[in-house]
Amino acid sequence: MRGHRNHPLWFAFMLHRLSGLGLALFLPAHFLVLSLALSDPALLDGFLHWADAPLVKLAEFGLVFLLAVHFFGGLRLLALEFMPWSGRQKSWAAGALAGAFLISGSFLLNAV
Amino acid sequence: MTQEHDTLEVSVWRGDADRGQFETHRVPAYDNQTVLDVVSWIQQQVDPTLTYRFACRVGMCGSCAMTVNGTPRWTCRTHVNKVLKDGRLDIAPLRNLPVIKDLVTDMDPFFDKWIRAGGAHAPSASRHDPIVEISPQSEGRATADAGIECINCSVCYAACDTVSANPDYLGPAALQRAWTVVNDEKHGDRQAVLDTVSAAGGCHNCHSMGSCTMHCPNDLDPLGAILGLKRATARGVFKRRR
Ligand code: FES
């Protein structure tokens, strides 16, 4: 790792870029499969069967991860670019968000 | 200088715009020495043809910046002990600028971009007009003051990956200068500066990686300035629509 890149904002940029690329690769395939519902339902059923395989199920976690990372990365950028907050205010906002997530997440786990 | 202890292994980039390689030297290690001291020692004791720049040696002129162990730094105020990795130093010219020779880069593209970004002062009054009073506490003045200590060392420019990817991009230093000008009430045409920096190669090119702010040796915040420009130009678009 080159010295000038070794800091959180740069990693946040890279994470956002990579998750975006990952989603961009996923989306065309996603639409293609959805379109099968109209053009070739039998093929779709076959595919959905395959999608139940454990490995594919596992890959779904990756997808959700990409989505979450990209979504929050986008919110981060919007906050950074459009809200003239001080570093302290940003830390508080991020902390509040993370806290809310933790609490609501644990309730969600209880419900499931 | 204090007691000599040991030696450092120092690799220095030698070459020109076309080719070059690292040359390694053993340099005496002292308790207190800067990276610039090390480069000077090599030039004075080993090889007088080694080319590098410095002037003030106290962090004011901005001429001594180099890449030290992969990170751009002002070498006259960088202590060797702080950046030493396994007793080694790799010293190279700054990134993102053409190399002239050894550790010296051509700074022209960097300064040309200051001009292109509208960094030059445009007067709003002549010497015959009364002097306008501006409170140092006013918001605009405080914002302008925040960026005015830039010493043009080009460390931020060398640290920026957006500059590497797009040679047309004005870069953090020039954009921070533009933000200073935009906040200077005495400037003659602030809207023109905003128009310039929102064109191609301007502030909207920035990917907010923040390497500029991270590495600025004077603790300035070029990223914050660029974000300010983004907001100001975005606001301008919405205003004009109405
Ligand atoms: S020599 Fe002037 S800033 Fe380093």
Side-chain angles (χ1 to χ4, degrees), chain B residues 36 53-65 74-77 151 153:
Chain B
L36 184 63
R53 270 199 204 105
F54 73 95
C56 71
R57 298 190 300 153
V58 290
M60 294 191 70
C61 72
S63 63
C64 66
W74 53 358
T75 54
C76 72
R77 295 199 59 186
I151 58 172
C153 64

Side-chain angles (χ1 to χ4, degrees), chain B residues 113 157 161-170 200-202 205:
Chain B
K113 285 178 180 177
Y157 190 82
D161 282 342
T162 310
V163 172
S164 329
N166 176 10
D168 220 30
Y169 174 49
L170 290 170
N205 257 52

Side-chain angles (χ1 to χ4, degrees), chain B residues 12 14 61 99 183 197 201:
Chain B
V12 178
R14 304 301 304 268
C61 72
V99 175
N183 282 287
V197 298

Side-chain angles (χ1 to χ4, degrees), chain A residues 1-14 17 76-85 90, chain B residues 67 69-72 95 158-161 164 206-212 214-215 223 227 230-231 234 238:
Chain A
M1 172 58 67
R2 308 209 19 188
H4 70 277
R5 294 182 184 139
N6 199 358
H7 59 95
L9 275 189
W10 195 87
F11 289 124
F13 156 79
M14 212 7 110
R17 175 62 55 98
R76 176 191 78 91
L77 275 181
L78 283 175
L80 186 69
E81 304 208 341
F82 285 105
M83 296 183 211
W85 291 356
K90 282 177 207 158
Chain B
T67 308
N69 283 348
T71 305
R95 284 167 83 229
C160 177
D161 282 342
S164 329
C206 169
H207 289 286
S208 302
M209 298 176 201
S211 296
C212 49
M214 183 69 200
H215 295 294
L223 172 62
L227 296 174
K230 283 184 179 177
R231 276 192 290 278
F238 291 129

Side-chain angles (χ1 to χ4, degrees), chain A residues 42-65:
Chain A
L43 193 63
L44 178 68
D45 277 341
F47 177 81
L48 288 181
H49 200 68
W50 175 77
D52 267 339
L55 202 69
V56 182
K57 276 271 171 272
L58 202 70
E60 275 173 14
F61 276 100
L63 189 66
V64 171
F65 173 75

